[in-house]
Amino acid sequence: MASQDWFDKDFYKVLGVSKDVSEAELKKTYRKLARKYHPDSNPGDPAAEAKFKEISEAHSVLSDPEQRKEYDQIRAMGTGARFTAPGASGQGGFDDVFGGMFGGQAGGQRYTFQQGGQGGFDDVFGGLFGNGRFGTASGGFRGYGGPTRGHDVTAHTTIDFVTATKGETISLQAADGKPFKVKIPAGVADGQKIKLRGKGQPSPDGGEAGDIVLTVTVRKHPVFERDGLNLRVTVPITFTEAALGATIEVPTLGGDPVKLRVAPGTPSGRVLRVKGRGVQTAKGTGDLLAVVQVAVPSHLSTEAKEALEAFAEKLPDENPREDLLAKARG
């Protein structure tokens, strides 16, 4: 992203968070928005795709402590400033901003800025903050911050659910056609970014190479879904199994099914937990969460219908919705 964009883009507003948002809350908010606007959830919706890219860009900057600090400084410095082309009339142009920084006056010496390259807009800011890193192209103001850092390169890849869960080393092709390998860590989340240091564009003057910032999209699984480090699966059971209890088989990801005991009187929505059969990462291991769903038969024979009606007559005369209706009435 070009450095100039940071003056105009309010990343906090894009994500709907305050400027003092914590790292944990920022991550939670981004995941919620990413799920909502992800292209897989909104096929053929260009507006959702554009929004997804916008929130991904905002999160990429604010989730990196160094970039967030630089972004806040740049935004604070640019607040209330107008930027006009050299030679334009009025005050509040580039000369006003930089004249104040270097002790000059508006209308005095003119400065020329360009995106990227040597001696450009990015170089000036890299020198001001003294850390040789800003946006996608970083480096020093010629003679002050040292060699110019190469540009970062953004890339995207789509992987299957199992690869995201287990982790794997995959091969990708760079823009110049050269292959490179990426280690996908176990438990990588949909929309997560992986930074490959030094794999981006080379420096034009012998400095540090840029990075490749890889955004990962994870395909949905037909049976399982992620819940943090846990895996969630919906398991249908019959009315008889729910009422009388039963031992059922539940699938696991990449392994043999496990047997679970369903207690008598189990309702729909109850969660049965299998310890240690979720996502395994260096930070911990999740569980398998089996969500029970009572399956109702769509067709009944005459005999089955009569038997069910006889069963209903023997049940207590009570309304299971009575408490719900009472609470709704207040």
Side-chain angles (χ1 to χ4, degrees), residues 153-157 172-174 180 193-194 196 212-216:
V153 175
T154 59
H156 296 78
T157 188
L172 298 176
Q173 191 174 42
F180 64 95
K193 287 178 167 51
I194 299 175
L196 308 175
I212 290 179
V213 181
L214 179 67
T215 301
V216 178

Side-chain angles (χ1 to χ4, degrees), residues 219-261:
R219 296 190 188 96
K220 293 183 180 298
H221 194 278
V223 172
F224 301 95
E225 63 179 35
R226 287 279 299 276
D227 183 1
L229 291 182
N230 297 325
L231 291 176
R232 189 177 289 268
V233 58
T234 299
V235 183
I237 62 174
T238 67
F239 170 76
T240 304
E241 290 173 330
L244 302 180
T247 298
I248 63 172
E249 282 192 332
V250 175
T252 61
L253 185 65
D256 295 330
V258 295
K259 291 185 177 182
L260 291 180
R261 177 63 185 169

